[in-house]
Amino acid sequence: MHTEFCDEVGNEVPIFAFTHCRDVVVAVSKAGGMGVLGAGFMDVNQLREELDWIDAHIGDYAYGVDVVIPQNYVGRDEDELTELELEEKLWAMVPGEHLAMAQKLLDDHGVPPWPETGRPKIFGWTLQTVMPCLEEALCRPKCRLIVNALGTPPADVINRVKSSGRLIGALCGKRKQAVQHRDAGLDFVVAQGTEGGGHTGEIGSVVLWPDIIDAVSPLPVLAAGGIGNGRQMLAAMAMGAAGVWTGSLWLTAEEADAQPAQKESFLNAAVDDTVRTKAWTGKPARVLRNAWTEAWDRSDTPDPLPMPLHGLVTADAMRRSEAYASSGRTQQVAMNICGQVIGQINDIESCRSIIYRMITEYLDGLEALNHLMPPELREDP
Ligand SMILES: Cc1cc2nc3c(=O)[nH]c(=O)nc-3n(C[C@H](O)[C@H](O)[C@H](O)COP(=O)(O)O)c2cc1C
């Protein structure tokens, strides 16, 4: 199961876990995989607090940090503006009818109002917010890996990460993006099939993975999108992946800090309960289908705005549905980001037992394949 990429990053097994939860990062890395903390919703102060905790609890193991620098977003060219000035400018671009529709959906589903006045924080998806977070991650010796979502990171970010001695990679959902990542000098790519949770493309994993592996070889490719057990992992490794990059798998882990009502939604979901929609951020992302996604996807309602403007529309819903997860019919308007694989996750397990289960299933699958060979060609166990 060991791959060269494992040696480079210091994993015992080629399992990478994207998560927003620091406990999951630590538990996965300690069990032999690598936990990668999603910093996309954090400002630099929150990230510092999370990384202090991880550094204090992870022992000698390594971890990664994932940031979101979209290649295209409204405001990308406004380099001269401060974070606050850019926020002001973006808020002014959000039409009142979008905010009114969001408020009505929340009220209609009995979600209590936010107790304080003032606007919710913008997601950390502008260069102004990400750069201080990146610097915070790079001053941590145990942080070995930086990953970017939503495009090729700018050249100065790539150079900065590489000159700090870390590896840098990025997600992609089609061959063209993978080639662009390689040509920009990234150390690896994460090929995410449409099944995956969060922002995702249109091509399914079984077609995407070999396409990208062939396109960028010998660059290591981590396979993502729809991996929840060892058989799915075996399929990815058989196609030449250097490891698997998973997200949905950890949402219901014992260590994950999601609200119980949200975990319930995930545990009860079937494979066909997700939808790829612009209703969360303005770019297509996979989430659990509910009244929120259906309302924004209807033809008689306003279209979602481009990123990051729609994120401003959903920001209040995100904080309220997290804080009041079990009130009223909150789960009907919550952004429950997950992939199709959520339908095969029905139990709460610890991160360590998830990793052990994956390895056992992988080895069982390998043995079953071995038995398909004529006896004279089988490998002895
Ligand atoms: C709750 C959630 C949030 C996500 N947010 C991000 C993100 O901020 N940055 C990122 O690179 N990927 C993000 N992703 C995608 C994951 O990194 C990963 O590629 C994906 O979950 C793999 O597909 P799977 O869900 O089928 O395992 C997210 C996934 C989930 C489930």
Side-chain angles (χ1 to χ4, degrees):
M1 257 187 117
H2 205 71
T3 65
E4 270 178 37
F5 192 66
C6 285
D7 291 336
E8 252 188 294
V9 292
N11 286 20
E12 283 164 42
V13 291
I15 300 176
F16 294 78
F18 172 91
T19 173
H20 292 118
C21 175
R22 62 192 188 182
D23 302 74
V24 173
V25 171
V26 168
V28 169
S29 289
K30 282 186 159 176
M34 180 175 284
V36 180
L37 185 71
F41 297 116
M42 298 178 199
D43 63 24
V44 66
N45 296 321
Q46 288 166 295
L47 182 64
R48 185 174 304 123
E49 209 176 290
E50 301 298 295
L51 296 184
D52 282 347
W53 191 91
I54 290 173
D55 282 338
H57 290 83
I58 204 163
D60 291 333
Y61 293 92
Y63 61 90
V65 170
D66 178 284
V67 295
V68 186
I69 310 175
Q71 210 159 329
N72 302 304
Y73 62 86
V74 177
R76 173 80 198 246
D77 300 327
E78 310 276 8
D79 296 351
E80 75 293 351
L81 297 186
T82 64
E83 191 178 338
L84 278 178
E85 287 167 344
L86 181 61
E87 269 193 53
E88 272 311 309
K89 190 163 182 176
L90 293 173
W91 273 110
M93 296 166 81
V94 179
E97 70 170 328
H98 284 74
L99 295 172
M101 174 165 155
Q103 290 307 313
K104 182 162 177 355
L105 277 166
L106 294 172
D107 294 346
D108 288 352
H109 289 83
V111 187
W114 195 247
E116 296 143 29
T117 53
R119 287 169 177 160
K121 271 300 285 171
I122 187 173
F123 304 160
W125 296 355
T126 60
L127 271 173
Q128 282 89 333
T129 331
V130 175
M131 293 315 288
C133 289
L134 188 68
E135 287 304 326
E136 189 59 45
L138 294 184
C139 67
R140 314 275 172 159
K142 295 176 198 171
C143 170
R144 303 300 315 143
L145 202 75
I146 298 290
V147 177
N148 185 52
L150 296 179
T152 307
D156 51 343
V157 168
I158 299 174
N159 294 338
R160 175 74 187 97
V161 174
K162 288 182 118 174
S163 64
S164 79
R166 274 125 184 133
L167 297 183
I168 179 164
L171 273 72
C172 57
K174 52 173 126 163
R175 173 184 271 250
K176 197 171 137 199
Q177 293 163 345
V179 169
Q180 197 179 51
H181 288 344
R182 181 201 59 196
D183 293 348
L186 295 190
D187 299 302
F188 65 100
V189 299
V190 179
Q192 177 174 316
T194 188
E195 297 92 321
H199 294 103
T200 198
E202 291 178 297
I203 305 167
S205 291
V206 169
V207 174
L208 182 79
W209 296 337
D211 191 39
I212 289 191
I213 288 165
D214 290 349
V216 301
S217 173
L219 199 69
V221 176
L222 301 180
I227 296 171
N229 63 35
R231 282 181 296 158
Q232 288 154 335
M233 175 168 170
L234 181 59
M237 303 303 285
M239 291 186 206
V244 295
W245 174 275
T246 51
S248 301
L249 187 53
W250 313 99
L251 293 169
T252 54
E254 206 171 283
E255 293 88 345
D257 61 359
Q259 297 289 335
Q262 192 186 32
K263 274 196 185 175
E264 273 305 302
S265 300
F266 288 137
L267 289 169
N268 293 334
V271 286
D272 56 353
D273 281 341
T274 70
V275 61
R276 185 171 170 267
T277 175
K278 292 185 179 175
W280 169 37
T281 66
K283 283 192 196 281
R286 191 169 295 285
V287 302
L288 278 190
R289 185 188 305 104
N290 61 11
W292 180 277
T293 64
E294 286 182 348
W296 288 101
D297 288 342
R298 283 209 318 266
S299 57
D300 60 339
T301 53
D303 288 338
L305 302 167
M307 181 175 277
L309 302 181
H310 205 73
L312 301 183
V313 176
T314 54
D316 189 39
M318 297 236 352
R319 66 179 179 182
R320 283 164 66 183
S321 59
E322 194 184 324
Y324 309 116
S326 53
S327 298
R329 290 183 298 130
T330 296
Q331 287 304 301
Q332 275 303 310
V333 286
M335 298 329 120
N336 285 332
I337 306 152
C338 65
Q340 293 171 341
V341 76
I342 204 70
Q344 73 188 48
I345 302 169
N346 304 312
D347 297 308
I348 292 183
E349 289 176 277
S350 71
C351 293
R352 183 169 287 271
S353 85
I354 293 174
I355 297 231
Y356 285 180
R357 175 172 62 73
M358 298 265 293
I359 296 170
T360 309
E361 290 164 347
Y362 175 93
L363 294 173
D364 288 349
L366 203 54
E367 201 183 322
L369 283 182
N370 195 27
H371 275 92
L372 295 180
M373 301 282 276
E376 64 277 14
L377 295 178
R378 278 183 207 159
E379 277 184 22
D380 288 333

